[in-house]
Amino acid sequence: MIPTPLPALPWQRTGNHWVSLPCIHPRDGSIHVLGVLHRGARGAVEFAGHERFADGTGPALARLAFTVDGTAQPLAPNGLAWELAGEWLPTFTGSAGAVLVRGTVFAPYGRDADTAGVVYAMSLENRGAAPVRLGVALEGELGHRQLRVRSASTFADPHRAMRTADETVVLKGTALPGLVAL
């Protein structure tokens, strides 16, 4: 038996029956890869911010971004404090300027979760003396897609990110028929 080496980062991870989030960065809570089970492909289709997502050095697929009074503020420049709620929900506490940020990253499941999805749930609290104007955004980059059965196979077609009329962002490949869109 060949042992599997430990990952370079102590990734946070979560998921459900349809979606896996195996690479949630411990420093800033960004999602570097998201996998979707595909019955027809008999494997997982993975979307990532960069082809080297496993070492956490490239751009994230999804990352929280904050502005306080119009100035960009990094989430927890000194790191996040992590806990697991219910033994599978990664929760974090950090700050963006004077704003305390508590968050949970999860993929809902159960009887009423008919659509696979991912949620960033946040609680924001101004710990400063004066009121602030706070902006929260989700940023990211689609830089890599692959099919994983036993090992990864990169998709050859170009990536496509598009915004629909109702402001939904769709990530997919350009080949037809496509296996999955996110």
Side-chain angles (χ1 to χ4, degrees), residues 43-144:
V45 177
E46 296 175 329
F47 294 84
H50 189 269
E51 63 187 14
R52 295 191 51 183
F53 63 86
D55 58 18
T57 57
L61 179 66
R63 180 181 73 80
L64 294 170
F66 296 90
T67 58
V68 177
D69 292 327
T71 303
Q73 295 289 328
L75 175 58
N78 297 321
L80 295 172
W82 287 93
E83 295 180 62
L84 284 179
E87 297 182 13
W88 71 281
L89 296 170
T91 63
F92 61 85
T93 303
S95 63
V99 177
L100 178 70
V101 180
R102 289 189 181 101
T104 303
V105 184
F106 66 101
Y109 78 100
R111 185 185 61 179
D112 297 327
D114 293 333
T115 304
V118 175
V119 175
Y120 269 110
M122 289 182 292
S123 169
L124 308 166
E125 179 183 343
N126 181 7
R127 292 280 177 105
V132 296
R133 192 178 74 243
L134 179 65
V136 181
L138 189 63
E139 301 175 338
E141 184 174 314
L142 175 58
H144 185 68

Side-chain angles (χ1 to χ4, degrees), residues 17 27 56 76 118 133 137 140 151:
H17 297 85
R27 184 186 67 243
V118 175
R133 192 178 74 243
S151 59

Side-chain angles (χ1 to χ4, degrees), residues 126-180:
N126 181 7
R127 292 280 177 105
V132 296
R133 192 178 74 243
L134 179 65
V136 181
L138 189 63
E139 301 175 338
E141 184 174 314
L142 175 58
H144 185 68
R145 292 175 304 112
Q146 62 188 25
L147 175 65
R148 181 179 301 275
V149 178
R150 285 183 54 120
S151 59
S153 298
T154 301
F155 286 104
D157 60 317
H159 313 306
R160 182 163 184 208
M162 56 187 263
R163 186 182 314 180
T164 65
D166 66 351
E167 298 297 316
T168 301
V169 175
V170 178
L171 307 176
K172 61 182 189 166
T174 57
L176 294 175
L179 285 178
V180 69

